[in-house]
Amino acid sequence: MVRAVSETHGEILAAAARRFAVTGYRGTSLQDIAGEVGCSKATVLYHFANKEALLAELMAPAIGVLKALDDQLTGLTGAAAQQVAATGFVDLAVRFRREIAVLRGEFPELLCQPAFAPIQQISDRLRDALAGHSDRPGARIAALVLLAGISEACAEFVDIGDDELRPALLTLVRRALEPVDAPLPLPPTTEDKET
């Protein structure tokens, strides 16, 4: 029985996602994907010009949501930027866990591909928003650690349901981010040191 073109297209995407998540993008060949689908490499190439095109289509929905989040952050500062960035990124990471798993360990190399060109700049703006656009080292470090940690947790903890993972991540974000609208803590006084 001949499969419909759109059905085969979807099967190739699903097989690619599974293979990329297990053996990595670099470690997966078009022949591996074809073998998993039960078709020829030529059939894969009929649907996708190359492996890069396949990955780009797999990642397009997540990149679209990331771009929309970036648009939402335009013009926001302080606590408002932190709130939108934190909630938006946690939602994106939980929703696109599979795609994040695909990128694990290969993200710097993949950023060189044209389909992923805007991601680095958007990630930098997202990090700045999480820091509340603060220049404080603690705020900037916390924002970077949170971005990396949220992504890693979503890819790693596949056994935790979205309804548990999302609130756990948001709680972590609230604890880790220092409010940028709060005054800097005062240095300890000599009385504090004596007690």
Side-chain angles (χ1 to χ4, degrees), residues 110-192:
L110 294 174
L111 286 176
C112 296
Q113 295 187 18
F116 300 97
I119 292 179
Q120 185 61 56
Q121 292 84 20
I122 293 172
S123 295
D124 292 345
R125 288 191 296 270
L126 183 57
R127 183 198 61 227
D128 291 343
L130 270 176
H133 300 285
S134 172
D135 288 333
R136 295 180 192 169
R140 293 172 53 221
I141 292 166
L144 180 63
V145 169
L146 282 170
L147 282 176
I150 289 167
S151 297
E152 188 65 22
C154 285
E156 180 68 25
F157 296 115
V158 294
D159 60 321
I160 299 174
D162 293 357
D163 57 332
E164 290 181 80
L165 184 61
R166 184 180 185 280
L169 290 172
L170 288 172
T171 297
L172 173 72
V173 169
R174 279 192 291 280
R175 288 180 185 161
L177 289 180
E178 57 182 62
V180 293
D181 298 335
L184 285 170
L186 298 173
T189 64
T190 52
E191 291 175 349
D192 293 333

